Each structure stands twice: as C-alpha cells, then as structure tokens.
C-alpha cells in the first residue's frame, strides 16, 4: 500500500479494538486473521498471488529442536494496519501479537466462538448495562503475566494501545489504517482532539480496568468483540510515558524530564516520515503527466503533509505530545518490523534471508486451554509454492499449510497414504470471487454484473482449479460457517444459481443502456452477433453501445501466475462477445491488483478483480456493503444493503434464530445485487511431517499457529 494513498484514504477498520502488540485479532476485514491484504483488509485475500521464488541454494533448516513452516510469501509487517500478508499474520499469531495465543481478554476457540481468556484474566469479566444504554465491562488480569523480556504485564499495557491508536495524530503521523477503539464511549471527541481524556476507559488499579461501549454501537450479536483488548509493551514502545491514574490519557512518566536528545530524536523521526512520504509520492506519481491535474493534486497533498510535519519540528512541542508521537513512530517504524517484546508462546529473533526465526518464550504462561508450547524454535521459511508439497515430502520443511490446488492436494494425500507425511483438512471460512466496483464503468449496472455471471461456467473452476475439493457458491458464505450449516440447505433453493447461459446474458444486457449498435440508435441484434462470432471469433467487432456511442467494455485485473486468472481469461472474453460485451483480462502483481481495487480513479480502467476472501469473526457484512461501511471498497450505495446489513449486526446477543433470519435476508440481497460473483468455497489441506505430534485440531480459525501449544516433536 503506497504511503501517499494511505494518508489520503484512511478508513476505519471496524467496530472493534485494533490495538496493539499483543492485542486482539481484530482486523475486521473479510480477510480477518488470514487476510492477505489487510488487513484487510484489510484487506481481501487472494488465491492468486504471485509465486515466490525459492533461492537456488535452499538449505534445510529442520532439526531436533526446530520446526519449519513453508510459506509462499512474506512481507515482514508484524503489526496490524499495513499491507500485511496472510503469512505475516501467522508469524504474529505465534508471537501472540494477535490471535488466541496472547493475552486478549477474549479469544476464539476452534469453532470460532468467543471465550473468556482464562490464561490472562483472574476471573470472568463483569458486565454492567448503564442507564444511557452503554455497556461497561470490567476486566481483572492475572498478576503473574510477563512480557518476553521479563517485565510485568499490567492494566497500563492494555490501556496504552487503546490510547495510542485512538489518538488524533496516530493516523496522520504513522500512515496506519488502524483507528483505535471506535466502539468505546467518547471515541469521537478523543479522536478529533476535542479532549485529551478518553471517557470510555477507566483504570481501577494496576490489574483492573473497565471499557465502556457506546450505546450507539448496541445491540451487537457478538458483543464481546466491541470491548476486547490486549496488551501492548508500553515499557518498550513508550518507555517514558505512563497511563494517568484514571486511565483516560497518557502522561509523562513521573520524574522524567524531556531531554534535548529526545527533541533531536523526535526531529530525526519526523525527517524520516517526510522521507517516506516523498518516496511514496515518487512511486505513486511515476508515469503521471507533471502538467496534469492528477499530478498537481497529488503534489499539493504531499506539500501539505510535509508542511504539517515540518511545523511539528519547528513549533513548541508539549513534552507529553512529543513522547506520544515518539511512541507512535517507534511502534510503526521499529516494532512493526522488529517486535522484540511479545507475550505469546514465541519471541522474535530475526527476519532475514527469506525466513523468520522465532524462539520459545520462557515467560509465557500458556493459552486458555492450559496448553503451553515446548518446541524450542520455529522458522517460517519462504519457498516456491509450486514445490511446497515436494519440500514437505522430502523433509526440507515440516508444515505446508492451506493447499488449495487439486493436483497438489492429491500429491499430499498420496504421500500420506505412503506413510511419508500426515495430512489434515478443513472447509474454508471464505470463498473465491470475481469482485466489482459498482459505482463506475459498465459494472455499475446490476444487469451487467448478472450477465457476467451468466457468461461463466463456475463448475469448471471447481473441477479445473480445485480438483473437486470445493463447491460452487451462490452467496457470501463459506461452507464451514455455522450459519450455512444451519440454513444453507433452505436458502439455496431461494437463490438464483448463476450458470452459463448466453441467452440469459443477452436478456439482462437488453435492460441496460447498452442495447444499440455503434450508431447509438440501431437496436443490437443477438442473432447477428452469433453469426459474426461464428464467422470470425478473433476479429469479432459487433459490440453493444449506449445511445452516446460508448461501447460495453469490462476490464478485469487478475494476479499473474494464477489459475483463476487463466480460467477466467479462457471463459469470459469469448463468451462475452456472443452477448456483445468486450471483456478483457489483464494480469500483473498482486500488490498492483490491491492498489487498483482499493484506490480506484473516477474513470477507473479496471472495475473487475479476481479475488478470494476469508471471513473474520464476527461475520459483519455491514462493514463491506453499507454505504457507511469502512470497507465498502465495492462502492455499494444501495438502501436495501444498508437495511439488511444493519439489521444483521443489530441482532441481540443470543438471539440465534433471529440472526439466521436476517442472515438469509442479507444473502438474498447479495445473490441478486452481486457486488461480487461468488465462484467457489473450497477445502484447504495441510500437510505436516511425521515427527510432529499433537496437530490434531485444524479448523478455519484454528491452524498451526494456534495449535502450536499442544504440538511436540518426536
């Protein structure tokens, strides 16, 4: 994600606490904890990333005290809020920076249900509903929790991350997309700088604190997530800061005097931020006409940002603000890449030579199940995804997780049958899709999107790419989701099952403005189109136009070296011609795909993208399809979407049947509106070496990084 665009396009990351060094797994994107974008997301995930090249001199790293997890990509971003890769997320889950291994107040079990984290809390959270409708939760943490460097974990560490990321200067100064605890009472006033005290936080003592969720956020079906929190190592990130006695603000540590060195270091850090901004601008503006409006607008934005930062250097800086901003920069410029202090089962050693090395954290107390990691070392190693199963079979790596390619799954299963490895599987909590921008280009018309769905044979995706290890889907669901297991059979009969039907595509396109020949007046003729197509497929030039002479063109961007991109390229362009649509598929880097999708221009060249998404818990489509949704990257603006997604999230906790009814309403809207065309929901397969024992739980929300506490090496 490019720096300039982050500054100019900051967006909320959901109604949850996107905290901290050992905070909640709360990047509320469709990608959730395994999102390959972020992190979403975050970002969306994709099965279509570029294959990573394995060095020619690949050295075997496995040993009696080390397991090696092979992965196909690594960015090296180890906190939330940036262009996190799904494998970066795996690494930080091993370290407890997010997920079920750390000391969040609530964690998820293997079924995705929120549980009180008995590893962190002395007793169950105490909940009080206030007269104004707000909800206060009081947490009491254990007194023997320690960071990996031996320092004690206190209530201040839980409060610190909330205050830091909710601060008015956090996003402008760091370019992070995390916006802090936006569900808590008083968030807006604190975030806007109207007050320096965060009303929704209260510290009781060194091991007890309360968080109050604003009444405007309630009811919420999985309400625990709104006030979840985890600790950040304040002694490392903000070593000269303290939490005020009431817990509502950050202050200078008692007895500490800001030094000239602090001021010099602060100025240097600002210079670094300016340097990063300028580098981002140069990258973003490459190829732009320096006399054009786009370049001038971007340059004005850069100059404004640089000016604000320079003013910070030259003005009188309050000591507290100086130290707060210094902590922000340390979090996002240092800890982000080098998280030296953690609270989970493993601590960070180093990231170099395409591998992350992790060492057992001797101060870890164990997880909420009472399990505690014992394997001394873990290496997360970048390998070529095309040979991952081979490396596992040969003993060069120990774990190859989440394989989706049908032929490679067959290879893993055969190796298991031969006794060489072990294999497990789980249904996906997500789906593959063709996603659209629905506010520009031809894809702004629902009938165009529906026509595209009628120009594909989605069963071929399941057979050719997945080798049968998956199913065609007709809504925004994964076959592993409890909602689908409860109501899937009922609702499938109410869906439109979009199948290859060129006549249907033509009927739909006749309802759009694109119903004329090139002159804008002569009705377009499907029989003529078929005749032209049969005569000369390659030279076909009988397309649909609107009355103003605009051709019906849809341009899709897909990740290169992706079988999904290849399948779409083989299907859609020729089928679309028979319906008068010019459909073009371009492939390139995954990072470019995400950039084009997340930050589209008004006259965007590409309005279709081949993607794949894993869903977060809680499942909250309001975030993605409501007009106000912070992840509404499809640009949906539909009153019905607002209605059904709001109703779903506002279900009272515990009202399961009411939630399922509203889930059905949402799915029916999605199946008709098609902000994405769902392609498949597949079955992931994970292979692991015979020397690993205890890897007996494997679900969409519980993988190797969660089960590590129960795993041993034989």
């Amino acid at each position: 994600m490019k720096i300039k665009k982050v500054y100019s396009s900051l967006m909320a990351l959901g109604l949850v606490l996107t905290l901290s060094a050992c905070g909640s797994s709360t990047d509320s994107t469709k990608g959730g904890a395994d999102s390959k974008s972020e992190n979403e997301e975050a970002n969306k995930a994709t099965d279509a990333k570029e294959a990573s090249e394995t060095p020619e001199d690949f050295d075997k790293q496995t040993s009696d005290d080390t397991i090696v997890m092979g992965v196909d990509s690594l960015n090296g971003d180890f906190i939330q809020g940036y262009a996190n890769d799904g494998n970066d997320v795996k690494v930080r889950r091993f370290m407890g920076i997010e997920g079920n291994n750390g000391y969040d107040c609530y964690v998820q079990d293997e079924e995705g249900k929120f549980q009180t984290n008995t590893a962190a809390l002395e007793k169950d959270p105490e909940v009080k509903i206030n007269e104004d409708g707000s909800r206060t939760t009081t947490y009491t943490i254990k007194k023997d929790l320690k960071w990996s460097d031996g320092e004690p974990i206190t209530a201040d560490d839980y409060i610190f991350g909330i205050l830091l990321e909710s601060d008015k200067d956090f996003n402008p100064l760091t370019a992070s997309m995390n916006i802090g605890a936006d569900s808590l009472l008083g968030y807006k006033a604190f975030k806007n700088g109207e007050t320096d005290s965060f009303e929704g936080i209260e510290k009781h003592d060194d091991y007890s604190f309360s968080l109050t969720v604003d009444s405007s956020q309630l009811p919420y079906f999985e309400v625990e997530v709104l006030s979840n929190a985890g600790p950040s190592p304040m002694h490392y990130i903000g070593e000269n800061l303290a939490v005020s006695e009431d817990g509502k603000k950050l202050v200078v540590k008692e007895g500490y005097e800001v030094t000239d060195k602090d001021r010099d270091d602060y100025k240097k850090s600002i210079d670094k931020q300016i340097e990063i901004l300028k580098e981002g601008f140069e990258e973003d503006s490459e190829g732009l006409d320096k006399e054009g409006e786009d370049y001038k607008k971007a340059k004005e934005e850069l100059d404004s940002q640089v000016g604000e930062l320079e003013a910070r250097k030259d003005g009188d800086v309050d000591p507290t603000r100086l130290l707060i901003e210094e902590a922000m920069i340390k979090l996002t410029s240092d800890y982000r890449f080098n998280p030296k202090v953690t609270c989970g089962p493993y601590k960070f050693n180093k990231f170099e030579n395409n591998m992350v090395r992790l060492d057992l954290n001797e101060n870890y107390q164990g997880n909420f199940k009472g399990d505690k990691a014992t394997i001394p070392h873990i290496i997360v190693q970048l390998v070529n995804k095309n040979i991952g199963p081979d490396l596992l079979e040969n003993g060069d790596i120990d774990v190859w997780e989440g394989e989706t390619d049908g032929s490679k799954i067959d290879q893993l299963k055969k190796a298991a049958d031969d006794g060489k490895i072990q294999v497990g599987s789980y249904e996906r909590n997500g789906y593959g899709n063709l996603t659209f921008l629905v506010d520009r280009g031809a894809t702004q018309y629902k009938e165009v999107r529906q026509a595209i769905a009628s120009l594909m044979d989605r069963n071929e995706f399941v057979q050719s790419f997945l080798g049968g290890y998956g199913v065609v889907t007709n809504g925004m669901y994964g076959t592993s989701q409890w909602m689908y297991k409860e109501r899937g059979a009922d609702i499938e009969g109410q869906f439109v099952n979009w199948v290859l039907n060129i006549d249907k595509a033509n009927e739909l396109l006749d309802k759009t403005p694109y119903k004329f020949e090139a002159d804008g007046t002569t009705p377009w003729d499907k029989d003529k189109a078929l005749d032209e197509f049969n005569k000369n497929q390659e030279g076909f030039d009988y397309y649909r136009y609107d009355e103003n002479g605009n051709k019906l063109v849809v341009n899709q961007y897909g990740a290169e070296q992706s079988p999904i991109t290849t399948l779409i390229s083989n299907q859609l362009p020729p089928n679309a011609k028979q319906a008068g649509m010019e459909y073009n598929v371009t492939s390139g880097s995954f990072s470019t795909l995400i950039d084009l999708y997340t930050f589209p221009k008004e006259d965007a060249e590409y309005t279709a993208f081949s993607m794949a998404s894993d869903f977060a818990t809680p499942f909250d489509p309001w975030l993605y399809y409501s007009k106000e949704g912070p992840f509404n990257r499809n640009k949906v603006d539909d009153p019905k979407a607002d209605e059904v997604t709001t109703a779903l999230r506002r279900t009272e906790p515990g009202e399961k049947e009411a939630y399922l009814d509203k889930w059905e309403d949402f799915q029916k809207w999605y199946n008709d509106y098609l902000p994405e065309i769902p392609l498949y929901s597949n079955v992931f397969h994970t292979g692991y070496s015979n020397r690993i024992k205890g890897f007996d739980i494997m679900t969409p929300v519980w993988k190797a990084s969660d089960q590590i506490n129960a795993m041993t090496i034989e």
Side-chain angles (χ1 to χ4, degrees), residues 62-129:
T62 56
S63 65
D64 291 342
D65 64 354
T66 304
I67 64 171
V68 177
M69 171 179 283
V71 297
D72 62 355
S73 56
L74 274 173
N75 282 353
D77 268 312
F78 301 124
I79 65 172
Q80 300 96 324
Y82 293 90
N84 299 153
D85 182 272
N87 295 312
D88 296 334
V89 176
K90 290 179 182 178
V91 172
R92 64 186 186 230
R93 289 175 79 90
F94 278 120
M95 295 187 286
I97 289 175
E98 85 174 52
N100 306 311
N101 289 329
Y103 294 142
D104 290 4
C105 297
Y106 294 104
V107 288
Q108 291 175 270
D109 64 17
E110 56 266 35
E111 300 302 323
K113 297 177 181 177
F114 283 99
Q115 307 286 343
T116 297
N117 189 358
T118 53
L121 299 184
E122 186 67 34
K123 58 182 179 179
D124 286 340
E126 300 170 19
V127 177
K128 176 186 177 184
I129 305 302

Side-chain angles (χ1 to χ4, degrees), residues 145-162:
L145 302 180
K146 293 182 179 180
W147 292 104
S148 57
D149 62 358
E151 289 293 314
I153 296 175
T154 70
D156 286 358
D157 293 308
Y158 284 79
I159 294 170
F160 170 68
I162 301 173

